Amino acid sequence: KEKFREISVAEFFAKNKELAGFANPTRALYQTVRELVENSLDATDTHLILPEIVIRIVNRPELSGSNGSEQRFTVIVEDNGIGVPPTVMANAFGRVLFSSKYVIRQTRGMYGLGVKAAVLYGQATAGQPLKVVSATKGSSYSYMKELFIDMKKNEPRIVSEGQWRRRGSWHGTRVAITLMGDWRRAKNRILEYIKRTAIIAPYAEIIFETPDGEIYYFPRLTRKLPRPPREAKPHPHGIDLEHFKIIIKESKAKTLLELLVQEFQSVGEKTARAFLKKIGVNPNLNPKKLLRKENEELLRSIVDEMKKFEGFKPPRSDYLSPLGEDLIKLGLKRLFEPEWVEAVTRPPRAFEGNPFIVEIGMAYGGKIPPMNEPLLLRYANKIPLLYEEKEDISWKVLSSINWKLYLINFPAPLVVLVHIASTKVPYKGVGKESISEIPELEQEIKNGIQEVARRLRAYISRKMKEAETLRR
Amino acid sequence: KEKFREISVAEFFAKNKELAGFANPTRALYQTVRELVENSLDATDTHLILPEIVIRIVNRPELSGSNGSEQRFTVIVEDNGIGVPPTVMANAFGRVLFSSKYVIRQTRGMYGLGVKAAVLYGQATAGQPLKVVSATKGSSYSYMKELFIDMKKNEPRIVSEGQWRRRGSWHGTRVAITLMGDWRRAKNRILEYIKRTAIIAPYAEIIFETPDGEIYYFPRLTRKLPRPPREAKPHPHGIDLEHFKIIIKESKAKTLLELLVQEFQSVGEKTARAFLKKIGVNPNLNPKKLLRKENEELLRSIVDEMKKFEGFKPPRSDYLSPLGEDLIKLGLKRLFEPEWVEAVTRPPRAFEGNPFIVEIGMAYGGKIPPMNEPLLLRYANKIPLLYEEKEDISWKVLSSINWKLYLINFPAPLVVLVHIASTKVPYKGVGKESISEIPELEQEIKNGIQEVARRLRAYISRKMKEAETLRR
Ligand SMILES: Nc1ncnc2c1ncn2[C@@H]1O[C@H](COP(=O)(O)OP(=O)(O)OP(=O)(O)O)[C@@H](O)[C@H]1O
Ligand SMILES: Nc1ncnc2c1ncn2[C@@H]1O[C@H](COP(=O)(O)OP(=O)(O)OP(=O)(O)O)[C@@H](O)[C@H]1O
Ligand SMILES: [Mg+2]
Ligand SMILES: [Mg+2]
């Protein structure tokens, strides 16, 4: 009587588009620009390439409804990044949960879904294939594919492909997705997203052409790239039973001691010996024996103890890629022309074995208009977050600050920037708009805001004294 | 240099547990109870069975950490529902995106993920297999399976199974999942969830045994079941290109006219003819021709026009299963012992072809303590929603009400219940805690609150006059 069936993950996200941020044509147009731009930035600055990104939203009147009620656009994003190898190109753009970012490294992408969610939405609302052209660095060919996603099988269905000898040394990727959108409603948010991306990436050249033919140009202001993020091994505090079993299965280590040192970060031989001594386990144990049913309890207790052993060094943060205080201050100055600006990059911390760095920027006065509450600019792994503000961890922390303690009375001209850089950003949803309330993150955001607010108080207090002195 | 790989949807939700509501042991214990109870209610009241549900959370000290820091529990939920057929049992509990609820019908479940997300969390944190026992109505056997989910392949890995001849006429399902949890922190929410479930299901008998051995008993108060929901065909306003292509591929209809009438709800022959006449398409067209590349533009314009054609009857609402005004009032009376209670079941509406009914209940005074804002009880498809209140559509609408217009000044003793029943509840995330802001839903919630608030105003106004009369 009940009809049982399985659906593919492509069908799942097609049926539930709103989960991925594609709730309506306005959000869909915004999300498509986001997913493509974030992929282009991951393909450039993560790989020490100075980004050159061109974004075009082109009106497609021949595909749109008669009275203009269904508007369709083609979103084209081109970059000078590392390109996509031809052997994986079809899967990278046509198979949901296929990604090069399933490693422990700070990148904007993490789910293996982004561009595919945009393709699925475009397919359902405009019926046109995705088109991608790419050449990897040093390759003598450029490759092109036009494809749909086969929803039943979650695989690419290629409708045309080609390759040609490359002229010159261009490398990079150009993606075009056609979808139903609402440019009039999405315009401000899309502009804001691109602007806020450019403001923290002064090393990037970004060109944006709108459906109305307007061109927004964000020139490169510096050739200095932030240190790129690096791939890390897992940290023992972040391990669980499933993960540990997979590590044991795949490891070539002959002993448990070797496995701990080789397969994890922050575990030297001395520490590993101390840990195994503490829990009374033989360091020479063949780790594969831990997979046997009779050793189930031993495996569980090893994992439990690993998660709380204080002796492991904290997760490495030199693998992370923060913005840096100079870049944050420069960005805030350009955006707001304030009279005062400050920034702090907090020391690294971790939650569940994931290292993170919180950075706070603040701008005050000057051309900032007085507002009833601080203007919050949120960033995570260098992505600007524009929606779901009231649900976000940064908003919750910011709302808890008593600004009177810092001599700020609203209305006041105050901007606060929060950036969280981590190997795992705990978003609330795959649409990446707001971040869950993790206690360790909350603490650091609070510490950072208070640290910069104290400097603002010193500035305001000094100005008040100066004004006092002038009056006498 | 970039390492490309594909992961299964099981690995995806294991890696990103927080997306499914399993952010930490406290939330995980709560979510596991929820997922099992919601499955049990779907297996009973949707099928005209008076539910008998037993929930037990059992302490597992032999699996827990030495100093009590890692606590593990087994959550056992047993029901007298329709059972799970043995042929699909392993997949139903061991394959992510396998479900009997991928049809157009109002059920609590919709994603095909719920119980599997709990199994994945349990597997990662406790290493024990899921155990399920089930017998379908009329079957002479009971079937048992113990299984893990193979994360790489997203399929069940059965570790033991059995069957035995059934004594008597028991039918139903008993599910046991073992996981790391935090009963102390989760207790209040779990109790509240079960209580709020019982309060709108007076036809259900629910027994809850806690890890401390306490037993909470919610007896059956009525044998009257609400009309069960029924499966519907899609409505033309909710169609997109992908969906329409699938309908065409699978339909046996010989002409486009037949297809519209057979495959959709709310489309009679007269209406279908009028629609095709309006858009100038031959009703005798062989629908399979629409799948050809040369007819791409015609297909797109048919779908565009279908979505906005006003002539189709609105989506059927007799397929929905609202709570009803009596049941809401009864529940509020039992929970709060107010001096005044009212409820309204709003007329059916639709968003994007999905029919929905909003129901509002309000309770005032009596034993309700005065509070600074109304207490909001949210429900969707009869599921109580306890988290992410400030992000929810009902909260946003409630916050916009000017209660002074209704003679309410806070602090005031006011409770507001909002229930949304639909064939598709637009949750913000797969954890089903808050609902997206859909304009049509917002409007109906607002209309409903105002309608009941007007009756409250009449009551308060009458009481004020009586008090006035008494004073003279
Ligand atoms: N412009 C690009 N240049 C190079 N590689 C790209 C580009 N766009 C996509 N890719 C490759 O395709 C893969 C899939 O992209 P997709 O956006 O679907 O997932 P993701 O970026 O890995 O994760 P997320 O879902 O969080 O965006 C990426 O991991 C990357 O390897
Ligand atoms: N107690 C039960 N009695 C009968 N069938 C059940 C029971 N529990 C689960 N099932 C079956 O197993 C399927 C899978 O359950 P699961 O919770 O994973 O997904 P779902 O309920 O369909 O959707 P959701 O992810 O929204 O909960 C259900 O669709 C149902 O057919
Ligand atoms: Mg991406
Ligand atoms: Mg379920």
Side-chain angles (χ1 to χ4, degrees):
Chain A
K1 196 138 153 335
E2 288 283 289
K3 301 177 201 148
F4 287 87
R5 72 182 182 106
E6 180 179 15
I7 64 173
S8 79
V9 65
E11 192 173 343
F12 178 77
F13 282 111
K15 255 158 65 78
N16 301 298
K17 302 174 174 56
E18 67 281 356
L19 294 178
F22 291 81
N24 52 58
T26 304
R27 286 292 297 261
L29 192 60
Y30 172 84
Q31 198 72 17
T32 299
V33 170
R34 266 196 77 171
E35 297 294 354
L36 297 185
V37 170
E38 287 161 27
N39 282 348
S40 290
L41 285 166
D42 274 347
T44 47
D45 69 11
T46 303
H47 298 276
L48 280 172
I49 296 171
L50 290 166
E52 285 159 25
I53 299 179
V54 181
I55 306 157
R56 298 177 55 216
I57 303 179
V58 181
N59 217 340
R60 300 297 302 274
E62 77 280 19
L63 300 178
S64 298
S66 41
N67 57 349
S69 49
E70 296 84 26
Q71 303 167 41
R72 292 179 171 99
F73 302 88
T74 299
V75 177
I76 306 164
V77 174
E78 180 170 341
D79 61 66
N80 62 334
I82 54 165
V84 192
T87 46
V88 293
M89 196 190 265
N91 280 331
F93 293 95
R95 188 184 293 266
V96 180
L97 302 187
F98 188 91
S99 166
S100 64
K101 301 170 198 170
Y102 289 141
V103 293
I104 300 174
R105 180 183 56 177
Q106 173 195 326
T107 45
R108 295 162 181 85
M110 61 187 281
Y111 295 128
L113 166 68
V115 72
K116 277 81 75 176
V119 174
L120 288 170
Y121 185 86
Q123 214 166 291
T125 61
Q128 306 298 307
L130 159 117
K131 182 172 180 184
V132 53
V133 178
S134 190
T136 50
K137 224 173 170 182
S139 154
S140 29
Y141 282 87
S142 289
Y143 297 86
M144 180 279 289
K145 298 222 190 294
E146 281 190 298
L147 59 88
F148 288 102
I149 294 177
D150 180 327
M151 274 193 358
K152 280 256 177 287
K153 299 181 190 167
N154 185 32
E155 47 182 52
R157 183 166 64 80
I158 298 173
V159 292
S160 83
E161 51 188 332
Q163 62 188 63
W164 51 91
R165 279 199 80 81
R166 217 171 50 159
R167 290 163 291 150
S169 60
W170 178 81
H171 57 79
T173 306
R174 179 181 180 277
V175 182
I177 296 180
T178 302
L179 71 154
M180 187 183 299
D182 190 333
W183 169 245
R184 197 176 55 77
R185 286 205 176 93
K187 173 174 184 177
N188 285 345
R189 287 288 170 116
I190 291 176
L191 270 174
E192 191 186 351
Y193 173 84
I194 295 172
K195 212 166 156 194
R196 287 194 27 192
T197 294
I199 216 73
I200 56 151
Y203 50 83
E205 173 188 85
I206 301 177
I207 298 171
F208 173 42
E209 184 183 340
T210 76
D212 315 317
E214 296 175 299
I215 300 198
Y216 293 83
Y217 177 56
F218 302 88
R220 175 174 296 131
L221 302 181
T222 169
R223 296 193 64 85
K224 182 161 167 295
L225 272 169
R227 152 188 104 202
R230 294 168 56 194
E231 186 181 337
K233 293 188 185 136
H235 191 278
H237 287 167
I239 208 67
D240 66 34
L241 281 163
E242 281 295 309
H243 198 175
F244 198 44
K245 285 178 187 168
I246 292 171
I247 288 175
I248 292 172
K249 280 184 193 133
E250 301 183 350
S251 174
K252 297 194 166 53
K254 302 274 188 304
T255 70
L256 185 53
L257 181 74
E258 260 182 57
L259 184 133
L260 289 179
V261 174
Q262 287 175 12
E263 307 296 345
F264 291 92
Q265 57 159 303
S266 310
V267 186
E269 177 163 340
K270 202 147 154 282
T271 316
R273 282 196 186 281
F275 169 68
L276 292 171
K277 184 153 189 269
K278 171 169 193 279
I279 64 172
V281 174
N282 176 12
N284 293 319
L285 176 65
N286 174 3
K288 301 280 194 252
K289 288 191 176 168
L290 287 169
L291 299 175
R292 294 183 197 164
K293 187 138 176 44
E294 62 265 27
N295 287 328
E296 186 185 288
E297 187 179 343
L298 176 61
L299 179 71
R300 190 172 51 244
S301 69
I302 290 174
V303 170
D304 284 352
E305 294 297 332
M306 271 175 79
K307 289 175 71 130
K308 49 188 189 189
F309 184 65
E310 299 282 315
F312 298 127
K313 295 200 285 304
R316 295 181 66 154
S317 58
D318 56 345
Y319 283 43
L320 294 177
S321 177
L323 293 168
E325 294 165 2
D326 292 343
L327 198 151
I328 293 175
K329 290 197 281 194
L330 178 65
L332 287 173
K333 279 198 193 120
R334 287 168 57 206
L335 258 185
F336 296 106
E337 295 180 55
E339 71 189 66
W340 177 94
V341 76
E342 265 301 346
V344 72
T345 297
R346 293 285 303 168
R349 291 271 181 282
F351 69 94
E352 295 172 26
N354 301 300
F356 68 88
I357 288 174
V358 165
E359 302 185 278
I360 305 292
M362 252 181 234
Y364 181 82
K367 294 202 170 162
I368 302 174
M371 297 170 285
N372 286 329
E373 52 192 16
L375 175 66
L376 174 62
L377 305 184
R378 296 173 289 135
Y379 289 87
N381 284 4
K382 307 185 184 178
I383 302 172
L385 309 181
L386 267 62
Y387 283 92
E388 295 186 12
E389 181 182 61
K390 303 284 181 288
E391 302 148 38
D392 185 87
I393 187 180
S394 299
W395 178 261
K396 303 245 160 106
V397 175
L398 194 65
S399 312
S400 72
I401 302 287
N402 180 2
W403 290 101
K404 288 196 167 62
L405 297 178
Y406 303 100
L407 306 177
I408 306 254
N409 291 303
F410 290 95
L414 179 64
V415 176
V416 180
L417 183 154
V418 180
H419 178 229
I420 299 167
S422 179
T423 50
K424 171 163 179 167
V425 176
Y427 295 107
K428 288 195 171 187
V430 293
K432 295 182 193 144
E433 285 297 350
S434 55
I435 296 176
S436 313
E437 286 146 68
I438 305 287
E440 295 87 335
L441 277 177
E442 258 177 291
Q443 191 56 52
E444 271 311 298
I445 296 170
K446 186 154 194 150
N447 293 345
I449 291 178
Q450 290 173 335
E451 182 176 346
V452 186
R454 283 194 288 273
R455 297 183 206 175
L456 177 56
R457 178 175 61 201
Y459 171 77
I460 291 177
S461 161
R462 199 183 76 227
K463 277 193 52 172
M464 285 164 90
K465 292 202 181 76
E466 287 171 3
E468 192 76 3
T469 313
L470 277 171
R471 274 203 295 277
R472 297 174 197 158
Chain B
K1 195 140 154 329
E2 288 283 290
K3 301 178 201 148
F4 287 87
R5 71 182 183 104
E6 179 180 16
I7 64 173
S8 78
V9 65
E11 193 173 342
F12 178 77
F13 282 110
K15 258 159 64 78
N16 300 299
K17 301 172 175 54
E18 67 280 358
L19 295 178
F22 291 80
N24 52 58
T26 303
R27 286 293 297 261
L29 192 59
Y30 172 84
Q31 198 73 17
T32 299
V33 170
R34 267 196 75 172
E35 296 294 354
L36 297 185
V37 169
E38 287 162 26
N39 283 347
S40 290
L41 285 166
D42 274 349
T44 47
D45 69 12
T46 303
H47 297 276
L48 281 172
I49 295 171
L50 290 165
E52 284 158 25
I53 299 179
V54 180
I55 306 158
R56 297 176 55 215
I57 303 180
V58 180
N59 217 339
R60 300 295 303 274
E62 76 282 19
L63 300 178
S64 297
S66 41
N67 55 351
S69 48
E70 296 85 24
Q71 302 167 41
R72 293 179 169 100
F73 302 87
T74 299
V75 177
I76 307 163
V77 175
E78 180 170 342
D79 62 65
N80 61 335
I82 54 166
V84 192
T87 46
V88 293
M89 195 190 263
N91 280 330
F93 292 95
R95 188 184 292 265
V96 181
L97 302 188
F98 188 91
S99 166
S100 65
K101 301 169 199 171
Y102 289 141
V103 294
I104 301 174
R105 180 184 56 179
Q106 173 195 325
T107 45
R108 295 162 182 84
M110 63 186 281
Y111 294 128
L113 165 69
V115 72
K116 277 81 75 178
V119 174
L120 288 170
Y121 186 86
Q123 213 166 290
T125 60
Q128 306 298 307
L130 159 118
K131 182 173 182 183
V132 53
V133 179
S134 191
T136 50
K137 226 175 170 178
S139 156
S140 29
Y141 282 87
S142 288
Y143 297 86
M144 181 279 287
K145 297 223 192 297
E146 280 190 298
L147 59 88
F148 288 103
I149 294 177
D150 180 326
M151 272 191 2
K152 281 256 177 287
K153 300 181 189 168
N154 184 32
E155 49 183 50
R157 182 166 65 80
I158 299 173
V159 292
S160 82
E161 52 189 330
Q163 63 189 61
W164 51 90
R165 280 200 78 81
R166 215 170 50 160
R167 290 161 291 151
S169 61
W170 178 78
H171 55 79
T173 306
R174 179 180 180 276
V175 182
I177 296 180
T178 302
L179 71 155
M180 188 183 296
D182 191 331
W183 168 245
R184 197 177 55 79
R185 285 205 175 93
K187 174 176 183 176
N188 286 346
R189 287 289 170 115
I190 291 176
L191 269 172
E192 191 187 350
Y193 174 84
I194 295 172
K195 212 165 156 195
R196 288 195 27 192
T197 294
I199 216 73
I200 56 152
Y203 49 82
E205 173 189 87
I206 300 176
I207 298 170
F208 173 43
E209 184 184 338
T210 77
D212 314 317
E214 295 176 300
I215 300 199
Y216 293 82
Y217 177 56
F218 302 88
R220 174 174 297 129
L221 301 180
T222 168
R223 295 193 65 84
K224 183 161 166 295
L225 272 169
R227 149 190 104 201
R230 295 169 54 194
E231 185 182 338
K233 294 189 185 139
H235 190 277
H237 287 167
I239 208 66
D240 66 33
L241 281 164
E242 280 295 310
H243 198 176
F244 198 44
K245 285 178 187 168
I246 292 171
I247 288 174
I248 291 173
K249 280 183 193 134
E250 301 182 351
S251 173
K252 298 196 164 56
K254 300 276 185 310
T255 70
L256 185 53
L257 181 75
E258 260 182 56
L259 183 131
L260 289 178
V261 173
Q262 286 175 12
E263 307 296 345
F264 291 92
Q265 57 160 304
S266 309
V267 186
E269 178 163 341
K270 201 148 152 281
T271 317
R273 284 196 186 280
F275 169 68
L276 292 171
K277 183 153 188 270
K278 171 169 192 280
I279 65 171
V281 174
N282 176 12
N284 292 319
L285 175 66
N286 173 4
K288 300 282 196 258
K289 287 192 176 168
L290 289 170
L291 298 174
R292 294 182 198 164
K293 186 133 175 47
E294 63 265 27
N295 288 327
E296 186 185 288
E297 188 180 342
L298 177 60
L299 179 71
R300 190 173 52 243
S301 68
I302 289 174
V303 170
D304 284 351
E305 295 295 333
M306 270 174 79
K307 287 174 74 131
K308 47 189 188 186
F309 183 65
E310 299 282 315
F312 297 127
K313 293 199 290 300
R316 295 181 66 151
S317 57
D318 55 345
Y319 283 43
L320 295 177
S321 177
L323 293 168
E325 295 166 1
D326 292 344
L327 198 149
I328 293 174
K329 289 196 282 194
L330 179 64
L332 287 173
K333 279 199 193 118
R334 286 168 56 207
L335 256 186
F336 297 106
E337 295 181 54
E339 70 188 69
W340 178 94
V341 75
E342 265 301 347
V344 72
T345 298
R346 293 285 304 167
R349 291 270 180 283
F351 71 94
E352 295 172 24
N354 303 299
F356 69 88
I357 288 174
V358 164
E359 302 185 278
I360 304 291
M362 251 181 234
Y364 180 82
K367 294 201 169 162
I368 301 174
M371 297 171 286
N372 285 331
E373 52 191 17
L375 175 66
L376 173 61
L377 305 183
R378 296 173 289 137
Y379 289 87
N381 284 4
K382 306 185 184 177
I383 302 172
L385 309 182
L386 267 62
Y387 283 92
E388 296 187 12
E389 181 182 61
K390 302 286 181 288
E391 302 151 36
D392 185 86
I393 187 179
S394 299
W395 177 262
K396 304 244 158 109
V397 175
L398 194 64
S399 312
S400 72
I401 303 287
N402 179 3
W403 289 101
K404 286 193 168 63
L405 297 178
Y406 303 100
L407 306 177
I408 306 253
N409 292 302
F410 289 95
L414 178 63
V415 176
V416 179
L417 183 154
V418 179
H419 177 229
I420 299 168
S422 178
T423 50
K424 171 163 180 167
V425 177
Y427 294 107
K428 288 195 169 186
V430 294
K432 294 182 192 141
E433 285 297 350
S434 56
I435 296 175
S436 312
E437 282 143 82
I438 305 285
E440 294 88 334
L441 277 176
E442 256 177 293
Q443 191 56 53
E444 269 315 294
I445 296 169
K446 187 156 193 148
N447 292 345
I449 290 178
Q450 290 173 335
E451 182 176 346
V452 185
R454 283 194 287 273
R455 297 183 207 174
L456 177 56
R457 179 175 60 201
Y459 171 76
I460 292 177
S461 162
R462 199 183 76 230
K463 276 193 53 172
M464 286 165 93
K465 290 202 181 76
E466 288 170 4
E468 192 79 3
T469 313
L470 277 171
R471 274 204 296 277
R472 297 175 193 156

